[in-house]
Amino acid sequence: MERMNSGGSSIRRRSLSISSHVSYHTDNDGENESVSEAGDIGDRALRSKRFSESNSFRLSFDNRSEKEAVVSIPEEHRSHPNSSVRPLPPAFTSLSPLSTDGIVRSEDIEHDLPKGLPEFLDYTSCLVHLAVFGILGVLTRYLLQKLFGPRVAHVTSDQTILYVDLPANMIGSFLMGWFGVVFKGDISQVSEHLAIAITTGYLGSLTTFSGWNQKMLELSVSGHWLFASLGFLLGLFLVAYSIQFGIETAKGFRWLLHRLGISLEKDVNKMNCKVDSYRRQLIVMVMFLVILGILWGVSGALVKAEFKHGGNAAQLWFACMVGPMGVWIRWFLARLNGRGLGKEGLFKWIPFGTLIANVLAACIMAALSTVKNAVKTRDCDTVVAGIQFGLMGCLSTVSTFAAEFNAMRESNHPWRAYTYAVITVCVSFSLGILIYCIPVWTKGFDIDT
């Protein structure tokens, strides 16, 4: 009897250990994905994409259902009719990777989902939303540069650690706390495309990592290494505090609405303003297509008029024309966030999509600066500056980076936030030295500092 009791206890301990082990790894993988997907997940956020992935998941689960992890009980440990040892509960005798209770048939999903645009039009509509809000982000960043720059407020400068894009990065990160963290779900209730356009399109284009990195490179090439180091440290601190302040104030505003008896979800349902039907989504897509056509048309006309004169105006309007391409590339790269490396999904906590976008934009920005120093013509300066400010400024982002950094810092592994920041900054800055600083030092280019 004692031998059978000890055998039963051993099985229970083993089953509890396996259950705890599976639960730990499941929770850890979930946290890894959540922190790296806190900022953006690209086209995986689209309703049509989620529906297609749900079908793939269902088929994958059906194929794996026969390979459940079952804890077998040896013959000598099975209960005898006259034994006082009772069988183990089903929860300990069978451990399934996933419960089938939560699996819904694709027919049911298709029936429950509202009828929206087909996948191709869904993509097109989202791209148009991103383009319009991306151009608005470029214009806002330019206005903030001028407002806080040497000619107006005298706060930022190219010669100090308070670089010219710092106000835009701080304001964009603050707004990311509002519309990208706290109220993103409420905006998605109205329109998923609008939520993506505000966070990825507008805030992602309002903020720029490549411009930040390039200003620190320009300080370094002049020998101001201490200023460059302090510029990264101060910039990271202010951006991290900005999104944290944004989240806290947004939560306070939500609490105030709750105290006043105002429910955003109820108001949305009452006003019937959800863009969730085929007709409404098609109307909104056409409307944004018209807006995008107007913005591109005006920008093209102004570029044509100002290009021969050069200067900031020509650079700005050229940036508005090429900026949407940077937003689109960053949005497609964001689908890599939370996926990890290889089939095993290693380092899922690193948002590789955002990391690649920021490093790639920083390297191309440095290369274009080298080209501009080598060529030194008015037309080249206009085109290069427009691509840098528009395409590269929209390809890189600080607001999404700040959301991911904040999510990592509030997770069970806060050290990952600082590791992610160090990887982003060090890789971008080191490659920038090779691409920009070394050619300037070796070729003796004259640069404006």
Side-chain angles (χ1 to χ4, degrees):
M1 182 66 67
E2 291 180 358
R3 180 170 175 267
M4 296 183 68
N5 286 333
S6 63
S9 300
S10 175
I11 295 172
R12 289 187 180 92
R13 287 195 300 269
R14 191 185 313 166
S15 301
L16 286 170
S17 176
I18 295 175
S19 178
S20 176
H21 182 72
V22 172
S23 175
Y24 170 78
H25 281 283
T26 302
D27 295 341
N28 194 40
D29 289 342
E31 184 189 57
N32 290 343
E33 292 183 16
S34 64
V35 296
S36 62
E37 296 175 350
D40 195 6
I41 58 174
D43 60 349
R44 288 157 51 204
L46 293 179
R47 168 199 156 302
S48 57
K49 192 70 176 179
R50 292 200 307 269
F51 174 64
S52 62
E53 286 187 355
S54 66
N55 286 340
S56 300
F57 171 77
R58 183 183 64 86
L59 293 174
S60 176
F61 180 84
D62 291 341
N63 293 333
R64 295 177 57 186
S65 61
E66 297 179 358
K67 300 180 180 180
E68 295 178 341
V70 180
V71 179
S72 59
I73 305 176
E75 184 67 25
E76 63 270 20
H77 292 158
R78 294 180 183 176
S79 59
H80 190 270
N82 298 328
S83 171
S84 62
V85 179
R86 297 179 180 179
L88 294 177
F92 293 106
T93 57
S94 178
L95 295 174
S96 174
L98 291 172
S99 173
T100 58
D101 296 337
I103 304 300
V104 183
R105 294 184 179 275
S106 60
E107 295 83 358
D108 298 334
I109 297 176
E110 188 175 7
H111 181 267
D112 293 338
L113 283 175
K115 295 295 183 181
L117 294 174
E119 185 173 353
F120 175 75
L121 290 180
D122 196 29
Y123 263 78
T124 303
S125 179
C126 191
L127 292 176
V128 173
H129 278 72
L130 288 170
V132 171
F133 278 84
I135 294 175
L136 296 178
V138 170
L139 293 172
T140 307
R141 174 153 43 93
Y142 179 81
L143 292 176
L144 290 175
Q145 278 191 3
K146 297 304 178 184
L147 178 62
F148 290 93
R151 296 184 179 180
V152 181
H154 303 282
V155 176
T156 61
S157 171
D158 289 334
Q159 287 79 37
T160 66
I161 60 177
L162 300 178
Y163 59 97
V164 293
D165 288 319
L166 180 60
N169 287 343
M170 291 178 61
I171 293 173
S173 299
F174 172 82
L175 295 177
M176 190 68 169
W178 274 71
F179 304 112
V181 178
V182 178
F183 290 106
K184 188 174 184 178
D186 300 283
I187 300 173
S188 298
Q189 291 294 321
V190 178
S191 171
E192 291 183 345
H193 291 170
L194 180 62
I196 296 173
I198 292 176
T199 55
T200 303
Y202 181 70
L203 298 179
S205 301
L206 170 60
T207 60
T208 174
F209 176 78
S210 58
W212 177 13
N213 185 76
Q214 186 60 33
K215 294 305 176 184
M216 298 304 106
L217 287 172
E218 292 174 1
L219 288 175
S220 301
V221 80
S222 302
H224 303 300
W225 293 95
L226 179 60
F227 277 9
S229 301
L230 293 176
F232 277 122
L233 291 175
L234 180 64
L236 180 62
F237 172 79
L238 292 176
V239 163
Y241 184 78
S242 295
I243 190 170
Q244 185 178 358
F245 184 57
I247 292 174
E248 291 175 353
T249 53
K251 288 181 177 179
F253 183 70
R254 183 185 284 278
W255 174 84
L256 180 62
L257 293 177
H258 179 72
R259 293 283 295 180
L260 296 175
I262 300 175
S263 175
L264 296 178
E265 184 176 356
K266 290 181 180 179
D267 291 342
V268 169
N269 293 329
K270 186 184 300 183
M271 292 185 293
N272 193 25
C273 59
K274 290 184 178 181
V275 186
D276 56 358
S277 65
Y278 178 87
R279 181 173 177 272
R280 289 185 177 184
Q281 290 183 5
L282 186 62
I283 292 174
V284 171
M285 184 186 73
V286 173
M287 182 183 70
F288 271 90
L289 271 173
V290 173
I291 296 174
L292 179 60
I294 294 174
L295 290 174
W296 263 342
V298 172
S299 299
L302 291 173
V303 166
K304 184 178 180 180
E306 298 289 339
F307 190 83
K308 58 183 178 181
H309 304 295
N312 292 332
Q315 295 170 6
L316 171 64
W317 299 118
F318 188 76
C320 290
M321 294 185 65
V322 299
M325 288 183 285
V327 183
W328 294 336
I329 296 172
R330 172 162 49 85
W331 184 62
F332 282 117
L333 287 174
R335 73 189 323 274
L336 301 177
N337 293 341
R339 295 305 197 189
L341 294 175
K343 296 181 179 179
E344 301 296 328
L346 302 176
F347 304 107
K348 282 187 176 181
W349 58 272
I350 299 180
F352 284 103
T354 307
L355 178 63
I356 292 172
N358 282 337
V359 173
L360 179 63
C363 291
I364 298 177
M365 174 85 82
L368 290 172
S369 295
T370 303
V371 171
K372 185 168 64 172
N373 289 330
V375 177
K376 279 197 174 296
T377 63
R378 186 180 59 195
D379 292 348
C380 178
D381 289 350
T382 301
V383 173
V384 168
I387 295 175
Q388 286 180 318
F389 192 80
L391 182 58
M392 297 303 109
C394 293
L395 174 57
S396 64
T397 176
V398 170
S399 58
T400 304
F401 167 84
E404 295 158 351
F405 180 87
N406 185 74
M408 293 179 190
R409 195 174 59 174
E410 293 182 351
S411 67
N412 295 328
H413 308 282
W415 59 269
R416 290 176 173 176
Y418 302 99
T419 303
Y420 173 47
V422 169
I423 292 174
T424 303
V425 170
C426 289
V427 173
S428 302
F429 190 69
S430 299
L431 293 175
I433 291 175
L434 296 175
I435 298 171
Y436 176 74
C437 294
I438 291 181
V440 171
W441 292 329
T442 56
K443 300 296 183 180
F445 294 137
D446 293 328
I447 57 173
D448 297 327
T449 58

